[in-house]
Amino acid sequence: MKILVIGGGGREHALVWKLKQSALVEKIWCAPGNGGIAADAECVARDGGDVPAIFALAEKIAPGLTVVGPELPLVHGISDAFTARHWKIVGPLLQAAQLEGSKIYSKQFLLRHAIPTAKMYGAFDSVADAYAALDRVAWPLVLKADGLCAGKGVLVAKDKPEARAFIERVMEKGELGPGGQRMLLEEALEGDELSFIILTDGHRYAPMVPTRDHKRVFDGNAGPNTGGMGAYSSDDLLPAGLRDTIISTIVEPTLRGLARDGVSYQGFLYVGLMLTKAGPKVLEFNCRLGDPEAQAIVVRMDFDLAEVLADVADARLDPAKLKWKSGASACVVLASGGYPGKFDVGKTISGLTCIEAYTGVSVFHAGTRRHGDALVTSGGRVLGVTAAAASIQDALQKAYDAAARIHFEGMHYRKDIGAPAGRLKAVGD
Ligand code: AMP
């Protein structure tokens, strides 16, 4: 099998790493890939969000299967273009990808099918109406820009001035681009967050192991939001009762709702949940694997990912094939100094030689590139140090031991991945 993976972050490196282990796989390309993926696949300098460019590449290399990592190619219709040519691809069609591409579409979908979610106060395309609605809501209030805004489109506002300032920045000044033209206002939910990700072929589905990510930049959930500073997975994250509730009240009604709407959904579906006192409620859908969650997930896979993804593309997923290593995993993201604000790139990374052989951890690259013989930083999130083990304590210990061997100027990482259980003993601080 020849496979094309689209994307160039830690999630895509994790996918490539796992796909490469399959005896069925002959060759992997990755567009655009990165400095670490280059060791496992042939990287091709194409922007994943540029559908015509990816289409032309696929025409040339004729992959037997294409796997889409990020959301942008999906909301730009890459699966529609490939499917029209009968090229096999994993990832939903444009209409189905609207579950992520439009927060308003997604909220209306949830409400239409009575799937538990935060109450909606309204959806607005007029700034004046959005301001006026602020008199009729409870505080704190959640404001969501409708379209894709690179993770910056959601604010939990404590009061009216904060909410007004966000509406002004996003709707009036257009600071987040076209994704901010419409705004959804909804109730703020309280509880612990949990990511529940499934793989579906449109008929059958299989859940991934449960994961939780850490979005804030500093320990103790302090500082601004990031794309994710780490994630962990463990069997005890999701007791059987809660798992059954999520499946019966959220996952299955979602799949039935899609079918009832005539929307065929194929690929990974990420359900962001708030575990409230009244039960789990949907915060958001993503039409892909989360990152860094994907990194914590792949190291627990005890099945042939290439075979399973090919099955999905052929609409014959067999959920029984998805076997998992029992225990846990942890992914610690090593970030550039200053991230998620301004940061420098081009810093030489040391300590990676033979690290997988010495420590048994996998180091997935996100923001790296090759510079001659050296590997240098090229993004905010640089590496995802990821380990699987029999317990979460052991997985964290392995990941942190390996992280302590790696160095680049300005490098920082959270020392409390896997908290609140206080499981961590960081090394090298
Ligand atoms: P979203 O992209 O919709 O998941 O929002 C990003 C983050 O905002 C979530 O991971 C939550 O931490 C927070 N969030 C979103 N919706 C709500 C809500 N209704 N109540 C509380 N927090 C929320």
Side-chain angles (χ1 to χ4, degrees):
M1 203 188 312
K2 293 178 181 172
I3 303 184
L4 170 62
V5 174
I6 298 175
R11 166 185 48 215
E12 288 75 27
H13 194 185
L15 288 169
V16 166
W17 174 86
K18 185 67 196 172
L19 289 167
K20 200 184 162 198
Q21 292 168 19
S22 166
L24 301 172
V25 174
E26 194 185 319
K27 166 140 194 173
I28 306 176
W29 292 269
C30 189
N34 62 38
I37 295 175
D40 295 321
E42 182 177 330
C43 293
V44 196
R46 298 284 189 291
D47 171 6
D50 183 347
V51 172
I54 298 292
F55 190 84
L57 171 68
E59 201 140 50
K60 201 167 104 200
I61 63 180
L65 178 69
T66 298
V67 180
V68 186
E71 63 279 17
L72 206 57
L74 297 167
V75 299
H76 286 174
I78 195 159
S79 289
D80 303 64
F82 276 48
T83 306
R85 291 287 295 267
H86 303 288
W87 294 344
K88 288 182 190 175
I89 187 162
V90 176
L93 298 170
L94 188 56
Q95 195 193 356
Q98 288 308 303
L99 279 186
E100 172 164 6
S102 166
K103 302 266 188 204
I104 296 172
Y105 173 91
S106 153
K107 179 62 78 178
Q108 286 165 345
F109 169 85
L110 289 162
L111 296 173
R112 182 162 65 247
H113 297 290
I115 299 164
T117 186
K119 180 175 135 190
M120 175 168 85
Y121 294 119
F124 305 96
D125 45 24
S126 133
V127 181
D129 290 348
Y131 284 145
L134 299 181
D135 292 328
R136 307 189 295 268
V137 301
W139 303 93
L141 169 74
V142 180
L143 299 99
K144 295 186 173 180
D146 182 47
L148 295 181
C149 292
K152 298 192 171 73
V154 177
L155 177 76
V156 184
K158 64 176 182 317
D159 55 22
K160 209 159 147 184
E162 214 177 41
R164 278 190 75 96
F166 187 70
I167 293 170
E168 187 185 343
R169 282 203 305 112
V170 176
M171 292 183 83
E172 275 197 74
K173 296 191 178 152
E175 282 183 19
L176 301 182
Q181 278 163 4
R182 299 203 296 160
M183 182 82 76
L184 171 73
L185 305 188
E186 71 177 34
E187 163 202 23
L189 298 174
E190 274 180 49
D192 282 336
E193 287 185 45
L194 183 78
S195 317
F196 197 86
I197 306 174
I198 61 163
L199 178 63
T200 175
D201 65 356
H203 309 282
R204 286 151 298 241
Y205 70 91
M208 304 290 105
V209 283
T211 47
R212 186 168 278 158
D213 73 338
H214 297 266
K215 281 268 190 299
R216 302 281 180 162
V217 66
F218 300 128
D219 288 9
N221 291 331
N225 260 326
T226 69
M229 292 299 289
Y232 68 102
S233 164
S234 84
D235 291 339
D236 57 17
L237 200 51
L238 189 60
L242 178 58
R243 180 190 153 100
D244 292 348
T245 305
I246 292 170
I247 287 177
S248 64
T249 65
I250 289 168
V251 172
E252 293 189 343
T254 296
L255 295 175
R256 277 199 302 272
L258 285 164
R260 227 175 276 153
D261 288 352
V263 175
S264 159
Y265 193 105
Q266 178 260 56
F268 291 99
L269 177 64
Y270 171 116
V271 190
L273 297 166
M274 188 73 93
L275 305 178
T276 74
K277 285 199 183 106
K281 296 190 179 184
V282 177
L283 291 176
E284 64 165 338
F285 289 117
N286 291 327
C287 55
R288 50 172 169 92
L289 282 166
D291 189 10
E293 291 95 324
Q295 304 180 48
I297 288 172
V298 297
V299 295
R300 293 194 61 193
M301 287 179 174
D302 210 2
F303 57 88
D304 185 327
L305 182 62
E307 180 188 341
V308 165
L309 293 183
D311 287 351
V312 168
D314 285 336
R316 52 183 174 86
L317 171 67
D318 175 3
K321 283 188 185 171
L322 283 88
K323 304 256 190 279
W324 300 93
K325 293 179 187 157
S326 63
S329 63
C331 167
V332 178
V333 170
L334 310 185
S336 291
Y339 174 80
K342 270 201 174 135
F343 55 84
D344 288 332
V345 295
K347 307 289 181 197
T348 302
I349 304 168
S350 61
L352 288 179
T353 313
C354 300
I355 197 160
E356 193 153 355
Y358 286 147
T359 63
V361 303
S362 304
V363 180
F364 297 124
H365 293 227
T368 72
R369 68 181 170 79
R370 302 236 157 236
H371 183 69
D373 284 342
L375 195 69
V376 298
T377 63
S378 66
R381 290 188 291 169
V382 177
L383 300 164
V385 183
T386 310
S391 70
I392 184 67
Q393 291 88 341
D394 290 351
L396 288 164
Q397 191 73 54
K398 276 170 76 176
Y400 277 109
D401 282 350
R405 291 166 172 254
I406 301 170
H407 177 75
F408 51 87
E409 192 191 317
M411 172 177 121
H412 68 98
Y413 57 92
R414 275 184 68 158
K415 312 294 189 307
D416 64 345
I417 301 303
R423 298 159 169 141
L424 161 71
K425 205 163 112 336
V427 178
D429 298 330

Coordinates of all heavy atoms in Angstrom, one line a residue, residues 287-323:
C287 N -13.5 17.4 13.1 CA -13.6 16.4 12.1 C -12.3 15.7 11.9 O -12.0 15.2 10.8 CB -14.2 17.0 10.8 SG -13.2 18.4 10.2
R288 N -11.6 15.5 12.9 CA -10.2 14.9 12.8 C -9.8 14.5 14.2 O -10.4 14.8 15.2 CB -9.3 16.0 12.3 CG -9.5 17.2 13.2 CD -8.6 18.4 13.1 NE -9.1 19.5 13.8 CZ -8.8 19.8 15.1 NH1 -8.0 19.1 15.7 NH2 -9.3 20.9 15.7
L289 N -8.6 13.9 14.3 CA -8.0 13.6 15.6 C -7.5 14.9 16.2 O -7.0 15.8 15.5 CB -6.8 12.7 15.4 CG -7.0 11.2 15.1 CD1 -5.7 10.5 14.6 CD2 -7.5 10.5 16.4
G290 N -7.5 15.0 17.5 CA -6.9 16.1 18.2 C -5.4 16.0 18.2 O -4.9 14.9 18.0
D291 N -4.7 17.1 18.4 CA -3.3 17.0 18.6 C -3.0 17.9 19.8 O -3.3 19.1 19.8 CB -2.6 17.6 17.3 CG -1.1 17.4 17.3 OD1 -0.6 16.7 18.2 OD2 -0.4 18.0 16.5
P292 N -2.4 17.4 20.8 CA -1.6 16.2 21.0 C -2.3 14.9 21.3 O -1.6 13.9 21.5 CB -0.7 16.6 22.2 CG -1.5 17.5 23.0 CD -2.4 18.3 22.1
E293 N -3.6 14.9 21.4 CA -4.3 13.6 21.8 C -3.9 12.5 20.9 O -3.7 11.3 21.3 CB -5.8 13.7 21.7 CG -6.4 14.6 22.8 CD -6.6 16.1 22.3 OE1 -5.8 16.5 21.5 OE2 -7.6 16.7 22.7
A294 N -3.7 12.8 19.6 CA -3.4 11.7 18.6 C -2.1 11.0 19.0 O -1.9 9.8 18.8 CB -3.2 12.3 17.2
Q295 N -1.2 11.8 19.6 CA 0.1 11.2 19.9 C 0.0 10.2 21.1 O 0.6 9.2 21.1 CB 1.1 12.3 20.3 CG 1.2 13.4 19.1 CD 2.2 14.5 19.5 OE1 3.3 14.2 19.9 NE2 1.8 15.7 19.2
A296 N -0.9 10.6 22.0 CA -1.1 9.7 23.2 C -1.9 8.5 22.7 O -1.8 7.4 23.3 CB -1.9 10.4 24.3
I297 N -2.7 8.6 21.7 CA -3.5 7.5 21.2 C -2.7 6.5 20.4 O -2.8 5.3 20.6 CB -4.7 8.1 20.3 CG1 -5.7 8.7 21.3 CG2 -5.4 6.9 19.5 CD1 -6.8 9.5 20.5
V298 N -1.9 7.0 19.5 CA -1.2 6.0 18.6 C -0.3 5.0 19.3 O -0.2 3.9 18.9 CB -0.4 6.6 17.4 CG1 -1.3 7.4 16.5 CG2 0.7 7.5 17.9
V299 N 0.3 5.5 20.4 CA 1.3 4.7 21.1 C 0.6 3.5 21.9 O 1.2 2.6 22.4 CB 2.3 5.4 22.0 CG1 3.2 6.3 21.2 CG2 1.5 6.2 23.1
R300 N -0.8 3.7 22.0 CA -1.5 2.6 22.6 C -2.2 1.7 21.6 O -2.9 0.7 22.0 CB -2.6 3.2 23.6 CG -2.0 3.9 24.8 CD -3.0 4.2 25.9 NE -3.6 2.9 26.4 CZ -4.7 2.9 27.1 NH1 -5.3 4.0 27.5 NH2 -5.1 1.8 27.6
M301 N -2.0 1.9 20.3 CA -2.7 1.1 19.3 C -2.0 -0.2 19.2 O -0.8 -0.3 19.0 CB -2.6 1.8 17.9 CG -3.5 3.0 17.8 SD -3.4 3.7 16.2 CE -4.7 4.9 16.2
D302 N -2.8 -1.3 19.3 CA -2.2 -2.6 19.1 C -2.9 -3.3 17.9 O -3.3 -4.4 18.0 CB -2.5 -3.4 20.4 CG -1.5 -4.5 20.7 OD1 -0.5 -4.5 19.9 OD2 -1.6 -5.2 21.7
F303 N -2.9 -2.5 16.9 CA -3.5 -3.0 15.6 C -2.8 -2.4 14.4 O -2.1 -1.4 14.6 CB -5.1 -2.8 15.6 CG -5.5 -1.4 15.7 CD1 -5.6 -0.5 14.6 CD2 -5.7 -0.8 17.0 CE1 -6.0 0.8 14.8 CE2 -6.1 0.5 17.2 CZ -6.2 1.3 16.1
D304 N -3.1 -2.9 13.3 CA -2.5 -2.3 12.1 C -3.3 -1.1 11.6 O -4.4 -1.3 11.0 CB -2.5 -3.5 11.0 CG -1.7 -3.1 9.8 OD1 -1.8 -1.9 9.4 OD2 -1.1 -3.9 9.1
L305 N -2.8 0.0 11.8 CA -3.6 1.3 11.5 C -3.8 1.4 9.9 O -4.9 1.8 9.5 CB -2.8 2.5 12.0 CG -3.5 3.8 11.7 CD1 -4.8 3.9 12.4 CD2 -2.6 5.0 12.2
A306 N -2.8 1.0 9.2 CA -3.0 1.0 7.7 C -4.1 0.2 7.2 O -5.0 0.6 6.4 CB -1.7 0.6 7.0
E307 N -4.2 -1.0 7.8 CA -5.3 -1.9 7.4 C -6.7 -1.4 7.8 O -7.6 -1.4 7.0 CB -5.1 -3.3 8.1 CG -6.1 -4.3 7.8 CD -5.9 -5.6 8.7 OE1 -4.8 -5.8 9.2 OE2 -6.9 -6.3 8.8
V308 N -6.7 -0.8 9.1 CA -8.0 -0.3 9.6 C -8.4 0.9 8.8 O -9.6 1.1 8.4 CB -7.9 0.0 11.1 CG1 -9.0 0.8 11.6 CG2 -7.8 -1.3 11.9
L309 N -7.5 1.8 8.4 CA -7.9 3.0 7.7 C -8.3 2.7 6.3 O -9.2 3.3 5.7 CB -6.7 4.1 7.7 CG -6.5 4.7 9.1 CD1 -5.4 5.7 9.0 CD2 -7.7 5.3 9.8
A310 N -7.6 1.7 5.7 CA -8.0 1.2 4.4 C -9.5 0.7 4.4 O -10.3 0.9 3.5 CB -7.1 0.2 3.8
D311 N -9.8 -0.1 5.5 CA -11.1 -0.6 5.7 C -12.1 0.6 5.8 O -13.2 0.5 5.2 CB -11.2 -1.4 7.0 CG -10.6 -2.7 6.9 OD1 -10.2 -3.1 5.8 OD2 -10.4 -3.4 7.9
V312 N -11.8 1.7 6.5 CA -12.7 2.8 6.6 C -12.9 3.4 5.2 O -14.1 3.7 4.9 CB -12.1 3.9 7.6 CG1 -12.8 5.2 7.5 CG2 -12.1 3.3 9.0
A313 N -11.9 3.6 4.5 CA -12.0 4.2 3.1 C -12.9 3.3 2.2 O -13.6 3.8 1.3 CB -10.7 4.4 2.5
D314 N -12.9 2.0 2.5 CA -13.8 1.0 1.7 C -15.1 0.8 2.4 O -15.9 -0.1 1.9 CB -13.1 -0.3 1.7 CG -11.9 -0.3 0.7 OD1 -11.9 0.5 -0.2 OD2 -11.0 -1.2 0.9
A315 N -15.4 1.6 3.4 CA -16.7 1.5 4.1 C -16.9 0.0 4.7 O -18.0 -0.5 4.6 CB -17.9 1.9 3.2
R316 N -15.9 -0.6 5.2 CA -16.0 -1.9 5.8 C -15.2 -2.0 7.1 O -14.4 -2.9 7.3 CB -15.7 -3.0 4.8 CG -14.4 -2.9 4.1 CD -14.2 -4.1 3.2 NE -13.0 -4.0 2.4 CZ -11.8 -4.4 2.8 NH1 -11.7 -5.0 3.9 NH2 -10.8 -4.2 2.0
L317 N -15.4 -1.0 7.9 CA -14.7 -1.0 9.2 C -15.1 -2.1 10.1 O -16.4 -2.4 10.2 CB -14.9 0.3 10.0 CG -14.5 0.4 11.4 CD1 -13.0 0.4 11.5 CD2 -15.0 1.7 12.1
D318 N -14.2 -2.9 10.6 CA -14.5 -3.9 11.6 C -14.0 -3.5 13.0 O -12.8 -3.5 13.3 CB -13.8 -5.2 11.2 CG -14.0 -6.3 12.2 OD1 -14.8 -6.1 13.2 OD2 -13.4 -7.4 12.0
P319 N -14.9 -3.0 13.8 CA -14.5 -2.4 15.1 C -13.7 -3.4 16.0 O -12.9 -3.0 16.8 CB -15.8 -2.0 15.8 CG -16.8 -1.8 14.7 CD -16.4 -2.8 13.6
A320 N -13.9 -4.7 15.8 CA -13.2 -5.7 16.6 C -11.7 -5.7 16.3 O -10.9 -6.2 17.1 CB -13.8 -7.1 16.3
K321 N -11.3 -5.1 15.2 CA -9.9 -5.1 14.8 C -9.1 -4.1 15.7 O -7.9 -4.1 15.8 CB -9.6 -4.7 13.4 CG -9.9 -5.8 12.4 CD -9.5 -5.3 11.0 CE -9.9 -6.4 9.9 NZ -9.6 -5.9 8.6
L322 N -9.8 -3.1 16.3 CA -9.1 -2.1 17.1 C -8.8 -2.6 18.5 O -9.6 -2.4 19.4 CB -9.9 -0.8 17.1 CG -9.8 0.0 15.7 CD1 -10.9 -0.5 14.8 CD2 -9.9 1.4 15.9
K323 N -7.7 -3.1 18.6 CA -7.2 -3.6 20.0 C -6.3 -2.6 20.6 O -5.5 -2.0 19.8 CB -6.5 -5.0 19.8 CG -7.3 -6.0 19.1 CD -7.8 -7.0 20.1 CE -8.4 -8.2 19.4 NZ -9.8 -8.0 18.9

